[in-house]
């Protein structure tokens, strides 16, 4: 069991990540790829991944490298999931490249104790920045090939969970939010007791806690192994199959155009987002985003409202249907894998 100890200050500093973290999803998906866990939730995605691996020897080499540092159970190095809240994959990879050598050697040495015979782990530590460049290249290739085609759907499903958690927080405060993590996380003030494969105590000490919803997390919540790092609790969202995600995205691009399709998917990430946030997310100019959002609004896929100097945009039920999103249901059960 993982016991997370809160102070009064920690209860005032609970955050919910607004969107899926690319590296946490990647790490969890590599674990799912190596096992037969969750056949109903992940079976169709695994079949798509295996088909790509059979036809692409370079991609098989990438997965082989990643399996060196991402076992299907047990300890996974913390440097692979740096704290880049709401950031892009590029932001996360840049942080990995900046991993202090001392942390890299320490964590890879710890990993080697759990993975006898994996000499590549030791060579990665010795190679330093050169080894990290190879690793981040593999992470980038894996994400583009095996997660990229499904990313819009992953964001939509995580966004639905964020909306549920945010509503719980607004209506009942932090107690309602933490109580909503049952059945696998039990709030017994001031301790959150989490189902966990090893016995641990985590004292937040005023740092607060980041709740990070994840599609590929399964069974139990997971957390960083090093208690001195920024506290995060990763938990699984309620899932629908990803098997048709690639086809849905391509059809949406053909129907709306690439920029409008991307804006619609980004707007569905949260209950509302500003024009500037959406423009930055899809990497277009502010005037271009404003013009494309106007078209989406005129066609009934987006609604906009002004709050002060900002214009906030939300996806309509029709827009969510077009994205293939599901109407939020009851609060999902939680699941996780061990990092310590």
């Amino acid at each position: 069991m993982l016991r997370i100890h809160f102070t009064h200050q920690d209860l005032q500093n609970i955050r919910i990540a607004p969107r899926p973290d690319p590296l946490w999803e990647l790490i969890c998906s590599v674990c799912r790829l190596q096992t037969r866990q969750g056949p109903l939730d992940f079976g169709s995605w695994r079949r798509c991944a295996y088909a790509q691996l059979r036809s692409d020897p370079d991609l098989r080499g990438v997965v082989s490298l990643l399996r060196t540092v991402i076992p299907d159970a047990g300890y996974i190095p913390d440097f692979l999931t740096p704290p880049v809240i709401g950031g892009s994959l590029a932001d996360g990879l840049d942080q990995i490249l900046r991993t202090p050598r001392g942390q890299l050697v320490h964590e890879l040495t710890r990993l080697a104790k759990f993975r006898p015979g994996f000499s590549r782990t030791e060579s990665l530590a010795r190679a330093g920045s050169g080894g990290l460049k190879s690793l981040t290249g593999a992470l980038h290739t894996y994400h583009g090939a095996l997660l990229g085609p499904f990313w819009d759907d992953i964001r939509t499903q995580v966004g639905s969970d964020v909306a549920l958690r945010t509503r719980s927080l607004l209506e009942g405060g932090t107690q309602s939010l933490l109580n909503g993590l049952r059945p696998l996380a039990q709030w017994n003030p001031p301790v959150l007791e989490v189902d966990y494969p090893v016995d641990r105590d985590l004292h937040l000490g005023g740092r607060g806690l980041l709740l990070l919803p994840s599609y590929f997390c399964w069974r139990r919540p997971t957390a960083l192994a090093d208690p001195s790092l920024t506290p995060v609790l990763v938990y699984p969202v309620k899932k629908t199959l990803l098997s048709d995600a690639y086809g849905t995205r391509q059809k949406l691009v053909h129907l709306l155009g690439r920029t409008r399709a991307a804006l619609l998917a980004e707007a569905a990430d949260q209950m509302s987002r500003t024009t500037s946030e959406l423009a930055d997310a899809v990497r277009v100019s502010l005037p271009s985003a404003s013009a494309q959002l106007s078209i989406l609004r005129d066609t009934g896929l987006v609604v906009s409202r002004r709050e002060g100097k900002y214009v906030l945009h939300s996806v309509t039920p029709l827009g969510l249907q077009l994205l293939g999103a599901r109407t939020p249901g009851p609060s999902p059960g939680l699941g996780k894998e061990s990092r310590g």
Side-chain angles (χ1 to χ4, degrees):
M1 177 178 291
L2 170 64
R3 291 171 295 274
I4 304 177
H5 299 260
F6 287 76
T7 65
H8 179 70
Q9 185 177 354
D10 294 313
L11 290 172
Q12 296 177 336
N13 193 22
I14 297 177
R15 295 154 294 155
I16 306 169
R19 57 186 65 88
D21 182 288
L23 285 172
W24 274 105
E25 294 294 350
L26 192 157
I27 300 307
C28 291
S29 74
V30 173
C31 296
R32 303 289 78 78
L33 188 63
Q34 298 181 69
T35 71
R36 296 184 179 180
Q37 296 169 331
L40 295 179
D41 290 333
F42 307 112
S44 60
W45 171 79
R46 266 196 296 260
R47 287 190 290 273
C48 292
Y50 290 157
Q52 286 186 263
L53 289 170
R54 284 193 295 269
S55 63
D56 189 340
D58 291 335
L59 186 58
R60 291 199 297 273
V62 162
V63 171
S64 177
L65 172 59
L66 295 183
R67 287 182 64 242
T68 302
V69 292
I70 309 171
D72 58 5
Y75 175 73
I76 298 174
D78 290 329
F79 78 86
L80 293 171
T81 49
V84 187
I85 302 172
S88 66
L89 176 64
D91 294 329
L93 297 179
D94 183 63
Q95 284 293 97
I96 290 177
L97 286 171
R98 297 170 184 267
T99 303
R101 180 164 177 77
Q103 178 187 357
L104 178 67
V105 172
H106 171 75
E107 293 184 3
L108 290 177
T109 300
R110 180 178 178 182
L111 176 64
K113 294 178 181 178
F114 292 93
R115 300 201 28 104
F118 273 74
S119 58
R120 292 173 71 179
T121 300
E122 299 174 2
S123 65
L124 178 59
R126 287 196 301 269
S129 60
L132 285 180
K133 286 181 180 179
S134 297
L135 179 60
T136 54
L139 291 167
H140 184 272
T141 299
Y142 177 98
H143 192 282
L146 300 184
L147 295 186
F150 307 97
W151 197 248
D152 288 345
D153 196 20
I154 291 170
R155 286 187 304 186
T156 298
Q157 296 192 44
V158 168
S160 295
D161 183 89
V162 171
L164 284 172
R165 306 294 175 187
T166 302
R167 187 177 302 116
S168 177
L169 180 63
L170 290 174
E171 294 177 353
T174 55
Q175 179 170 322
S176 175
L177 175 64
L178 294 174
N179 279 332
L181 297 177
R182 289 182 290 189
L184 295 182
Q186 180 74 35
W187 175 234
N188 291 317
V191 179
L192 183 66
E193 299 174 345
V194 183
D195 185 15
Y196 206 71
V198 296
D199 196 55
R200 285 184 59 191
D201 284 276
L202 175 60
H203 294 268
L204 299 179
R207 295 173 295 169
L209 179 67
L210 173 65
L211 296 175
L212 180 61
S214 166
Y215 182 89
F216 280 99
C217 185
W218 187 68
R219 289 186 61 198
R220 301 186 179 105
T222 186
L224 295 170
D226 186 346
S228 69
L229 298 174
T230 303
V232 58
L233 185 67
V234 183
Y235 66 90
V237 301
K238 187 176 182 179
K239 299 170 177 55
T240 56
L241 298 180
L242 297 178
S243 56
D244 295 327
Y246 182 74
T248 298
R249 187 179 75 163
Q250 292 304 105
K251 291 173 184 176
L252 195 60
V253 168
H254 287 310
L255 178 66
L256 299 177
R258 188 169 301 278
T259 300
R260 285 193 289 273
L263 286 168
L264 187 65
E266 286 290 339
D269 263 356
Q270 300 180 55
M271 289 184 288
S272 57
R273 301 184 72 179
T274 68
T275 308
S276 295
E277 288 173 339
L278 291 170
D280 290 342
V282 302
R283 300 186 179 184
V284 298
S285 67
L286 190 60
S288 176
S290 181
Q292 301 299 339
L293 286 165
S294 177
I295 296 173
L296 292 173
R297 185 168 54 249
D298 291 343
T299 53
L301 301 179
V302 165
V303 292
S304 306
R305 70 182 189 279
R306 179 170 290 278
E307 287 194 6
K309 62 180 181 179
Y310 298 107
V311 177
L312 300 177
H313 308 278
S314 304
V315 177
T316 65
L318 177 61
L320 290 173
Q321 269 191 322
L322 198 60
L323 285 166
R326 305 299 194 270
T327 303
S331 180
L334 306 184
K336 114 181 202 12
E337 55 213 272
S338 167
R339 300 225 15 174

